[in-house]
Amino acid sequence: AGAVVIVSESNGTATPSFDSMDEFDTATVAVDTEAELYRNEPPLKDHAPEGYSMNNRVQTLRELKMCEASKGGPKGRALKCEKDPSCIECVPKKFLERAQSAIDAFKDETLRKERRKKIREWFPDTTTIILIATDRHFVKYLLNFVCTSKYRNFNVASKLLVVATDIETYNIAVSKNLKVAKPSFYNLTMPLQSAFLDTMVAVTAAAAEITQMGYNVCIQDADVTWFRNPLWLFAQPSLASVDLMFQLAPRWDAQGVANTGFILARATERTKTFLSSLLHISSLYYWARDDQVIWNSLLRHWTFSQLHWQTLPRRLKIAGANGGGRYMDLHTGVSLW
């Protein structure tokens, strides 16, 4: 190892260098406490990942070069584009246009004001919003979630925002007195490109917006059921620095172990930048025929190496289910916790 040099903060002069760490450890140096060593350093603030941005600027498909950045990762369903490392030349034009429509709506100032006005009216006192996007095929599972939560005395309706991908779903949600964003908020028009993938693009756009407004967000599939309220995790001191928490996908066939069926996203600058960037590459959802592959690919991207994420804590085993038990972090049909 090379020599070790300590620079005094008071006058900028260097103390004697040492040829080994052993000499350094036993030597008496001018700065001998952490308090003195760091007394003039400014505190670290919540920030966007420094790998590419110091001003919270989102990254686009062309800048991220997802296919190139994914090389060397898991082989299962890897992003591969021989024509263009940004994938733009490989993704069918109809997918690019469909995603761009949602991006344009996300940026549209008139729509933004309308959406945010409604969200602030709906959630004046809460710090966390439960977010579910669904279509007419899955709206029955949404209603099941609301009904079973009410039975278990969870007040989810006061925190729940539904993003409807079609008018039929919107009307059903309104009839049940749920807070629902209409399809036009994110330029969702019929016929849908793919009911599932259009829903995933819409929930990405809504999550990006909600966190930008300062709310934490619990993103979940419509077919998830709560046996206990998981939102307490946001208040845990040991998890205070975690930006994103996911269900666990215990395999590598989706480019990583994050399962996007249930996500807790804290409204940090890192989270805001990640979700906005994810929206800007959401055309890849259609190309990969899955949102989870793209989430995991972006989580592993070097520009987001400062993003703090983990799977949900393995907190409680439900005995007797699925041949021995289910855990909070595992996706096994309908997760029990």
Side-chain angles (χ1 to χ4, degrees):
V4 180
V5 178
I6 300 295
V7 177
S8 168
E9 292 182 352
S10 58
N11 56 23
T13 60
T15 66
S17 62
F18 306 97
D19 292 327
S20 71
M21 287 305 297
D22 289 338
E23 289 185 44
F24 171 69
D25 289 338
T26 58
T28 300
V29 294
V31 180
D32 58 2
T33 68
E34 282 197 49
E36 290 177 327
L37 184 60
Y38 301 118
R39 67 179 181 274
N40 291 328
E41 293 296 327
L44 282 175
K45 297 180 179 180
D46 182 23
H47 59 280
E50 295 168 342
Y52 62 87
S53 170
M54 290 299 290
N55 60 356
N56 304 345
R57 185 178 63 84
V58 302
Q59 289 287 88
T60 65
L61 198 58
R62 188 174 299 281
E63 293 166 319
L64 285 167
K65 296 182 173 60
M66 292 297 294
C67 288
E68 185 177 88
S70 295
K71 289 181 179 178
K75 294 181 179 179
R77 302 172 72 184
L79 299 175
K80 294 179 181 178
C81 182
E82 302 299 331
K83 300 178 183 178
D84 176 13
S86 73
C87 308
I88 293 174
E89 295 300 322
C90 297
V91 177
K93 185 179 179 181
K94 62 180 180 180
F95 296 160
L96 293 169
E97 291 176 347
R98 188 67 173 186
Q100 189 60 50
S101 179
I103 295 168
D104 290 343
F106 179 76
K107 294 179 177 179
D108 184 273
E109 193 62 33
T110 301
L111 283 174
R112 177 180 294 176
K113 287 180 179 179
E114 184 180 358
R115 290 190 304 259
R116 296 193 176 193
K117 182 175 182 290
K118 295 296 293 184
I119 290 171
R120 290 190 181 99
E121 289 175 353
W122 285 332
F123 307 103
D125 302 316
T126 186
T127 58
T128 300
I129 292 175
I130 304 164
L131 177 64
I132 299 177
T134 190
D135 68 348
R136 59 189 178 88
H137 300 293
F138 278 79
V139 69
K140 59 186 178 183
Y141 300 109
L142 165 70
L143 299 180
N144 177 69
F145 169 65
V146 174
C147 182
T148 56
S149 297
K150 184 177 180 180
Y151 174 77
R152 297 186 178 106
N153 296 317
F154 304 146
N155 185 21
V156 298
S158 66
K159 296 178 179 293
L160 176 62
L161 175 61
V162 179
V163 178
T165 59
D166 54 73
I167 292 298
E168 183 177 342
T169 300
Y170 176 80
N171 290 335
I172 291 172
V174 169
S175 72
K176 300 298 182 181
N177 296 317
L178 299 177
K179 304 172 181 68
V180 54
K182 51 192 177 183
S184 60
F185 273 0
Y186 294 106
N187 281 348
L188 292 167
T189 56
M190 301 298 287
L192 298 176
Q193 185 69 50
S194 160
F196 167 65
L197 297 173
D198 283 332
T199 298
M200 295 300 99
V201 171
V203 82
T204 302
E209 181 142 58
I210 289 168
T211 53
Q212 285 184 5
M213 295 176 68
Y215 296 97
N216 299 327
V217 59
C218 170
I219 311 165
Q220 68 173 60
D221 289 346
D223 57 353
V224 170
T225 297
W226 290 6
F227 281 70
R228 288 173 61 187
N229 190 335
L231 301 185
W232 65 277
L233 288 169
F234 279 120
Q236 291 302 297
S238 62
L239 300 173
S241 65
V242 179
D243 301 309
L244 294 162
M245 285 179 277
F246 298 85
Q247 262 187 328
L248 171 66
R251 55 191 188 274
W252 287 97
D253 60 347
Q255 289 296 293
V257 298
N259 187 301
T260 55
F262 187 89
I263 306 167
L264 297 179
R266 197 182 300 277
T268 66
E269 295 305 317
R270 291 181 295 269
T271 301
K272 296 171 189 177
T273 308
F274 177 86
L275 290 173
S276 295
S277 297
L278 185 65
L279 174 62
H280 279 73
I281 65 170
S282 58
S283 58
L284 298 182
Y285 290 5
Y286 301 101
W287 188 41
R289 299 188 297 279
D290 188 18
D291 66 313
Q292 191 164 301
V293 169
I294 310 308
W295 273 84
N296 276 302
S297 297
L298 192 59
L299 287 171
R300 292 188 298 101
H301 198 289
W302 66 269
T303 59
F304 287 98
S305 58
Q306 292 178 326
L307 187 76
H308 301 171
W309 71 275
Q310 66 169 64
T311 53
L312 292 165
R314 178 154 289 194
R315 175 77 177 180
L316 180 66
K317 180 177 179 181
I318 306 295
N322 196 27
R326 291 179 179 177
Y327 295 85
M328 176 184 176
D329 61 338
L330 284 175
H331 177 69
T332 51
V334 176
S335 294
L336 300 180
W337 179 52

